[in-house]
Amino acid sequence: MGSKNLKAITLCGDHSITVADPAGVDKIAGALRERSLGSLTDKYRKIGTVANLAVFNRLGTLPTRNFQQSTFDDADALSGESLTENNFSRRHGCAACTIRCERLFKALDGGEQRLEYETLFALGPLCGIDNPVVVLQAAQLCDLYGLDTISTGGTLAWAMECSERRLLPGAEELGLKFGQADALLAAIPAIAEGHGLGALLAQGSRRAAIEIGGESMHWAMHVKGLELPGYEPRSLKTMALGLAVSPRGACHNRSGAYEADFSGEVDRLRADSGRGVLVAGSEDFAAVLDSLIVCKFLRKCFTDFYSESANLLNKLTGWDYSSAELERAGERIHNLKKLFNMREGWRTEHDWLPPRLLTETLPTGVAQGIGLPAEELREMIQSYYQARGWDEFGFITEDKLKQLGLSGVSGSEFQLSK
């Protein structure tokens, strides 16, 4: 849509949709509502996603100063607990939601500002900002201008590092340096309005780094042009793989790979060839969850996600969909995403992480000294391609398309070989 300068699509229907089994749907919905009030959603109901900041800091997985560190010295000032105590305004949520994860905090202008962990991390520790009021102001500006907060924070953190290394012409006009609140707040309108250096930064860190050249690409923390979210890949090895291979780039919503790392199911500080199956499964799960339009914060409330979801889908539509068919739908969706990328010129080298993550070890926290050598990432990527049934270069084979019932989309429309 973005490439077509298309902002939105509006649909106007002229007839209602009949639910196949209203009583059956109500029964399932009631059970999920009851589960949603249990311990599995405590974090979201009590503090919201901003609770992640303090936890991630303790685990050494809070990206700080453009991923130079994995802990932030002033994390307490920005923690969800501190924000709730000092800046909390009210709790909010989607219509009829029992979790109500959204947190609105008091803004400097007397209004309210929504804040989630990713925004807090990107406009806070990632840019070296320790003042919660400044983070709230920056978030308010991003919302006003319609800017993604993760990409804005990631691009500004890159610019701050390049400025401090004297690699960014024109940086002095904004005074971009880590921890400089005035510079952060001045840069956001400059990006949105395309003024001065803002015109360059509006392109994102990848394109900006290509334009200024030199070593600046080393510190552009993106995958496929999308800036990294608030998870340190060197101390979350499954997540590292998930970010590297995602068709969308470094997106934490298209893969829940971090859950394996946090669960203790694997050693999050050590890479191995078993991560491919975990990442592929998390991607397919996310695809089905999104397609059913089920809230991600409800995901752990299912005892058997595919079986229960298939039952819900059948009650709604009158279909006879099995859990296996629903799981296979997730795999098809993901393969179609990859096919689109292949058509647009995807190559094996695009499934990779920024140089910093593969050459520098973590200098602080419980993960101090931990790194992610290129050979470890390469081993995990190969295990992922194998789990997907793709060839060793990451291309989808004709056989795989036939297995998924997608052979009709092969041929001239998509390139199926390296």
Side-chain angles (χ1 to χ4, degrees):
M1 289 172 65
S3 65
K4 298 176 177 64
N5 291 320
L6 183 62
K7 202 70 175 177
I9 298 173
T10 300
L11 302 177
C12 298
D14 59 6
H15 62 282
S16 61
I17 300 297
T18 302
V19 174
D21 184 354
V25 172
D26 284 344
K27 182 177 180 180
I28 295 171
L32 284 174
R33 276 194 296 271
E34 185 175 341
R35 293 184 210 173
S36 74
L37 295 171
S39 60
L40 294 173
T41 62
D42 273 351
K43 176 180 74 174
Y44 307 118
R45 288 184 288 112
K46 291 180 179 178
I47 299 182
T49 62
V50 290
N52 287 348
L53 191 133
V55 175
F56 285 14
N57 192 59
R58 289 196 298 271
L59 294 174
T61 190
L62 175 62
T64 298
R65 294 176 180 264
N66 200 32
F67 287 80
Q68 293 185 56
Q69 300 168 211
S70 60
T71 57
F72 188 48
D73 292 340
D74 299 301
D76 287 345
L78 289 178
S79 70
E81 292 78 4
S82 179
L83 280 163
T84 300
E85 181 179 352
N86 301 314
N87 304 85
F88 180 76
S89 178
R90 63 190 172 97
R91 186 178 164 204
H92 192 54
C94 299
C97 179
T98 51
I99 298 175
R100 299 177 69 215
C101 67
E102 187 174 337
R103 292 298 180 278
L104 297 173
F105 296 95
K106 298 171 186 175
L108 196 62
D109 63 1
E112 296 175 319
Q113 176 59 42
R114 176 181 174 177
L115 203 60
E116 302 290 346
Y117 165 69
E118 293 293 346
T119 297
L120 180 60
F121 128 82
L123 300 174
L126 194 65
C127 292
I129 301 295
D130 60 5
N131 188 333
V133 174
V134 173
V135 174
L136 286 165
Q137 282 182 271
Q140 198 170 38
L141 283 170
C142 287
D143 285 355
L144 175 66
Y145 286 111
L147 297 176
D148 176 80
T149 54
I150 301 177
S151 285
T152 299
T155 300
L156 285 173
W158 167 85
M160 289 172 177
E161 180 161 5
C162 288
S163 176
E164 291 188 354
R165 294 176 181 271
R166 301 183 183 280
L167 292 173
L168 188 60
E172 61 278 357
E173 68 182 77
L174 293 173
L176 282 174
K177 289 185 178 179
F178 289 116
Q180 295 297 311
D182 290 344
L184 176 76
L185 296 176
I188 294 171
I191 290 172
E193 297 168 7
H195 292 159
L197 181 62
L200 172 69
L201 301 182
Q203 300 180 58
S205 59
R206 177 177 65 176
R207 290 184 179 180
I210 290 172
E211 187 164 327
I212 71 168
E215 295 182 326
S216 64
M217 185 60 79
H218 186 86
W219 304 293
M221 306 304 293
H222 71 86
V223 175
K224 302 179 179 76
L226 185 63
E227 283 71 24
L228 268 68
Y231 301 82
E232 170 52 67
R234 285 165 288 191
S235 57
L236 296 170
K237 297 297 174 70
T238 318
M239 187 60 176
L241 174 61
L243 293 173
V245 299
S246 172
R248 188 168 186 251
C251 178
H252 65 292
N253 276 323
R254 297 298 183 270
S255 167
Y258 53 83
E259 291 195 327
D261 291 318
F262 289 135
S263 70
E265 180 181 349
V266 298
D267 184 345
R268 67 185 177 92
L269 302 180
R270 295 170 62 96
D272 61 62
S273 59
R275 306 305 169 93
V277 171
L278 297 176
V279 169
S282 74
E283 290 171 333
D284 296 346
F285 175 84
V288 173
L289 199 69
D290 288 342
S291 297
L292 292 173
I293 320 177
V294 173
C295 174
K296 281 187 166 65
F297 295 161
L298 199 64
R299 65 191 183 277
K300 292 184 179 179
C301 296
F302 291 88
T303 304
D304 183 337
F305 172 73
Y306 288 111
S307 176
E308 293 177 58
S309 295
N311 185 34
L312 176 57
L313 182 63
N314 294 338
K315 299 290 186 187
L316 281 165
T317 62
W319 299 346
D320 185 20
Y321 224 67
S322 71
S323 60
E325 287 174 319
L326 197 59
E327 190 168 2
R328 179 54 62 94
E331 187 179 4
R332 274 202 313 274
I333 292 167
H334 192 82
N335 275 266
L336 282 167
K337 293 178 184 179
K338 181 62 176 288
L339 282 170
F340 178 88
N341 279 7
M342 288 165 56
R343 188 190 69 182
E344 296 303 305
W346 176 89
R347 291 292 180 269
T348 309
E349 58 268 23
H350 295 151
D351 282 354
W352 204 239
L353 291 174
R356 159 164 281 157
L357 301 179
L358 306 177
T359 57
E360 300 176 19
T361 58
L362 295 172
T364 60
V366 296
Q368 183 176 0
I370 296 295
L372 178 59
E375 56 270 21
E376 286 190 359
L377 179 59
R378 198 169 288 114
E379 177 189 13
M380 291 195 295
I381 289 174
Q382 279 301 310
S383 74
Y384 172 78
Y385 291 163
Q386 291 171 11
R388 282 283 177 210
W390 300 343
D391 71 19
E392 62 181 303
F393 301 101
F395 288 89
I396 305 176
T397 65
E398 292 280 5
D399 285 345
K400 189 62 184 180
L401 290 177
K402 291 177 182 177
Q403 290 174 21
L404 295 174
L406 295 174
S407 54
V409 298
S410 62
S412 59
E413 187 177 355
F414 295 104
Q415 183 176 338
L416 297 174
S417 60
K418 62 183 182 295

